[in-house]
Amino acid sequence: MKDITNNFLETIEPVYTPGIIRFDFDAFDAAIQAAVSELSDEQLDNLEYNDIKNEFTRFNSLLTKLETKRKEIAKVYKNPLTEFESNFKSSKEPLKEIIDKLRAKRDEIDEHHRMLRVDHVRSVFEEKCELAGLDKDAFKDKYDGYSLKKCFKDKKMELKKETIEEIDALILAEYDRLEEYKANIAMIEEQALDYELPAEPYTRALQNDTPLVEILKQMKNDRHAAIERKQQAEAKRQAEAERLAEIEAMAKQSANEEIKAVNAETGEIIEKSKPIEEATINSKEPYKVNISLTFHGGEKQWYQFAKMLEDNFVNYEILGENK
């Protein structure tokens, strides 16, 4: 590549030759102090108007003369600087333009090299993830961090040994985490099966970072609550069954006490008849009897008895009530 610089551009720099401004500040300060000491506040009060004007004119003329000289000296120093800055601003523009172009080209090449490093890091992670049985994109947020030049060997598209070791540690930690997660899922599912609970709410809690200990504790509490609800439902069912059995027994007892057999030939009522359920009936043809019942338990007992008849598929006809 042709060297576009030369010795002149590399060595040129502004040269400043300082001037000398001579002024005896010590003598100036002493003279001022002497003049001021002669014009104290008390002395000023005793001066006539014309004297005050004269003193004011004298000191003000002195200060004006010094300020005028200062400005002349400042102008002598300032003009070369102003001229230098104006010429430098104009002359440096071409140099700034070439610097901007070189910077843009440099950045373009740097970005290209960076993308090559990122691609290399990606391939390393994907290969190691595949060997570990992990999702190949599990560490895509780490690519940029490991694409820095400091992570690569000098002038080589190859990661340093310590960088490889860091990546291996990340892969191993993620593998261990997933294995622990799978084991926890299996434990939750097994516990849910033993407890007769749905596993999904508890596995979802694990996915939301709820500690396993808390999940198992909640499952135990839910199991106890489910058992308690089941026991309450069973007790309620049993109580209902006992209530219905008691109603049925009362109805049967009432029927047995009131039903009396009649002699078909003489019409005589037989007081001591066997309960209907003890009779041996072989025929399956419809059987019809005319009976008169009295329910000492009142109308409620009649409805309970009627329900028993319906439950046993016995048709009945009411011929009259309270007769």
Side-chain angles (χ1 to χ4, degrees):
M1 177 180 175
K2 183 178 179 180
D3 187 1
I4 61 172
T5 64
N6 53 51
N7 290 336
F8 177 75
L9 287 178
E10 293 178 354
T11 58
I12 188 172
E13 61 181 24
V15 177
Y16 167 64
T17 303
I20 299 175
I21 302 174
R22 294 184 177 87
F23 188 77
D24 191 344
F25 280 99
D26 292 337
F28 179 65
D29 292 342
I32 290 176
Q33 290 298 325
V36 169
S37 65
E38 294 177 359
L39 295 173
S40 63
D41 293 341
E42 183 178 352
Q43 290 170 327
L44 287 175
D45 291 336
N46 295 324
L47 288 177
E48 298 291 335
Y49 175 73
N50 288 334
D51 294 333
I52 292 174
K53 285 184 62 177
N54 292 335
E55 291 299 318
F56 169 78
T57 301
R58 183 166 68 93
F59 284 110
N60 188 60
S61 298
L62 173 62
L63 181 60
T64 300
K65 184 183 67 172
L66 292 173
E67 281 291 339
T68 300
K69 191 63 177 179
R70 181 193 63 77
K71 291 177 182 179
E72 291 176 358
I73 294 173
K75 187 175 181 181
V76 172
Y77 273 81
K78 185 177 180 180
N79 285 347
L81 176 62
T82 301
E83 182 181 357
F84 167 76
E85 289 181 342
S86 176
N87 292 337
F88 182 72
K89 182 178 181 181
S90 175
S91 297
K92 72 179 181 180
E93 288 304 316
L95 185 59
K96 285 183 61 179
E97 290 179 4
I98 190 62
I99 288 174
D100 290 342
K101 291 179 180 179
L102 290 171
R103 179 185 292 110
K105 195 63 180 177
R106 180 204 64 186
D107 293 346
E108 178 184 340
I109 294 172
D110 284 346
E111 178 63 14
H112 175 69
H113 289 165
R114 189 189 73 83
M115 293 304 298
L116 290 177
R117 293 195 299 273
V118 169
D119 189 62
H120 179 75
V121 171
R122 178 190 57 76
S123 65
V124 170
F125 268 106
E126 288 183 354
E127 180 181 353
K128 291 181 178 294
C129 284
E130 183 178 1
L131 291 175
L134 303 176
D135 180 3
K136 68 182 183 66
D137 294 327
F139 297 94
K140 62 189 310 180
D141 60 329
K142 303 289 185 182
Y143 298 166
D144 286 340
Y146 285 102
S147 67
L148 302 177
K149 289 182 180 180
K150 66 179 183 179
C151 298
F152 283 75
K153 295 181 179 179
D154 188 32
K155 298 180 180 180
K156 289 184 179 181
M157 191 57 65
E158 183 179 350
L159 291 170
K160 292 180 179 179
K161 179 181 178 182
E162 54 266 31
T163 305
I164 293 292
E165 290 175 350
E166 284 186 26
I167 293 176
D168 287 341
L170 286 175
I171 299 291
L172 181 59
E174 179 64 10
Y175 175 83
D176 290 342
R177 187 190 71 81
L178 287 179
E179 287 300 304
E180 181 181 1
Y181 175 78
K182 292 176 183 177
N184 290 344
I185 288 288
M187 182 182 300
I188 290 173
E189 290 176 344
E190 182 179 355
Q191 195 78 304
L193 185 63
D194 290 342
Y195 286 173
E196 297 181 351
L197 295 172
E200 195 274 335
Y202 307 104
T203 57
R204 186 169 62 247
L206 185 68
Q207 293 170 357
N208 293 332
D209 298 328
T210 303
L212 179 64
V213 174
E214 292 185 13
I215 294 175
L216 295 178
K217 183 179 179 180
Q218 184 62 48
M219 293 180 73
K220 185 176 181 180
N221 293 337
D222 292 347
R223 174 175 178 261
H224 290 162
I227 291 175
E228 185 175 350
R229 288 193 300 270
K230 187 175 180 181
Q231 289 174 343
Q232 290 175 352
E234 178 62 22
K236 184 177 180 181
R237 187 197 64 78
Q238 183 66 27
E240 180 65 13
E242 291 176 356
R243 186 182 70 84
L244 293 176
E246 182 179 356
I247 291 172
E248 183 177 354
M250 289 174 61
K252 288 181 178 180
Q253 180 181 359
S254 177
N256 290 337
E257 290 175 351
E258 296 298 330
I259 296 174
K260 300 178 180 179
V262 179
N263 189 309
E265 295 181 357
T266 65
E268 180 184 1
I269 298 176
I270 303 174
E271 295 290 341
K272 295 182 180 180
S273 60
K274 291 184 179 180
I276 293 175
E277 62 267 26
E278 294 180 2
T280 303
I281 304 173
N282 296 324
S283 175
K284 293 184 179 180
E285 293 298 324
Y287 183 77
K288 185 175 181 180
V289 294
N290 292 322
I291 60 176
S292 176
L293 303 176
T294 300
F295 295 95
H296 298 283
E299 187 177 9
K300 181 178 179 180
Q301 189 178 16
W302 150 245
Y303 286 124
Q304 293 171 345
F305 179 70
K307 185 178 185 302
M308 181 199 71
L309 295 177
E310 292 172 357
D311 291 343
N312 289 276
F313 307 102
V314 177
N315 295 330
Y316 61 88
E317 180 181 2
I318 299 176
L319 302 177
E321 293 182 300
N322 290 329
K323 292 183 179 180

